[in-house]
Amino acid sequence: MGSASIHKHTAILDAAYELFGSGGFYETKISEVAERAGIAKGTVYLYFKNKEDLFMAVTRRDCEGFLQQLEAKLQACSSLTGKLSVIAGHHLFYYYERKQHTKLFFRAPNNNPELVAYMALFMEEYMQAVVKVLLEGGATEPELMAQSYIGMLDRLKMDILFDPFFTEEEAHKRAKFAASLFIGGAVGNMNASLGDLPAEQ
């Protein structure tokens, strides 16, 4: 794509993200996306064959960004405790930064096999990133530990999504608590020190 096409493609995705996130998949119209993006409705269909295709593109961009940002943050850390703290912060702040766009998660197209398959792939890639961190740290049950850690973080995210008054300070508190709890418990036998936890980034 040329620069003009890339600009339009990005504008459509940005507009769709805002509208899907605030209104939901079924409530959002392609004409509204086009208006928000500042282009003609027909132009949207030059890039995406239908609304489901557009939603998939928005979801894919968001998930890929999540994994890429996590990888960059993990590469900047050398210790197991530091990396586990980064994972907690990244997970919870991903949702904190999107708390005004919760309908992107809860009003998605129902029974879309492509979306279901993609989200399963995304979760597997995320889990394997955590497994890699735990393996490098010497964990003996890295997959079980990764599932447990992500599960704990997923539960802690729920108040972020449903409490409109949830603060950034609370997000920091929960990220640090989750990392400390996991390191002190599941990773305690690996002689991890809570004192090594870095300040939340």
Side-chain angles (χ1 to χ4, degrees):
M1 285 191 290
S3 59
S5 293
I6 291 173
H7 176 76
K8 288 179 183 178
H9 186 266
T10 301
I12 294 168
L13 289 177
D14 289 344
Y17 171 82
E18 292 291 331
L19 292 168
F20 286 143
S22 60
F25 173 78
Y26 293 103
E27 294 78 1
T28 298
K29 298 177 181 178
I30 289 291
S31 59
E32 294 172 329
V33 173
E35 183 178 356
R36 177 71 66 93
I39 60 175
K41 179 180 176 180
T43 304
V44 176
Y45 292 105
L46 296 177
Y47 296 90
F48 306 99
K49 58 187 178 182
N50 52 40
K51 192 164 69 168
E52 288 81 1
D53 188 38
L54 177 55
F55 190 92
M56 270 300 307
V58 169
T59 301
R60 188 177 291 109
R61 184 179 71 162
D62 209 42
C63 291
E64 288 174 356
F66 176 93
L67 293 173
Q68 289 167 1
Q69 291 166 28
L70 176 61
E71 180 62 26
K73 291 176 182 177
L74 290 174
Q75 288 181 356
C77 290
S78 57
S79 69
L80 174 62
T81 53
K83 289 184 176 183
L84 288 171
S85 184
V86 159
I87 291 167
H90 185 68
H91 188 113
L92 295 183
F93 272 88
Y94 169 83
Y95 291 101
Y96 179 77
E97 291 166 357
R98 289 158 178 75
K99 65 179 181 174
Q100 303 303 322
H101 298 89
T102 57
K103 291 172 184 174
L104 191 66
F105 308 111
F106 299 114
R107 290 192 186 176
N110 296 326
N111 303 317
N112 182 324
E114 185 182 2
L115 180 62
V116 170
Y118 180 77
M119 292 309 298
L121 175 63
F122 163 71
M123 286 305 301
E124 179 62 21
E125 290 181 359
Y126 179 28
M127 193 184 79
Q128 289 306 317
V130 180
V131 166
K132 180 182 177 183
V133 166
L134 292 165
L135 273 173
E136 291 172 349
T140 55
E141 294 284 353
E143 291 203 4
L144 186 58
M145 290 174 72
Q147 290 172 349
S148 300
Y149 196 36
I150 292 173
M152 177 169 61
L153 294 172
D154 258 344
R155 175 58 189 90
L156 290 174
K157 85 183 182 192
M158 297 310 292
D159 286 342
I160 297 175
L161 294 179
F162 292 112
D163 181 358
F165 303 105
F166 199 92
T167 65
E168 183 176 350
E169 181 181 358
E170 275 294 312
H172 280 294
K173 179 180 178 181
R174 288 180 182 227
K176 187 169 185 178
F177 176 82
S180 297
L181 183 65
F182 191 75
I183 292 166
V187 191
N189 64 338
M190 296 160 62
N191 296 318
S193 169
L194 294 180
D196 291 337
L197 279 174
E200 179 55 50
Q201 300 177 5

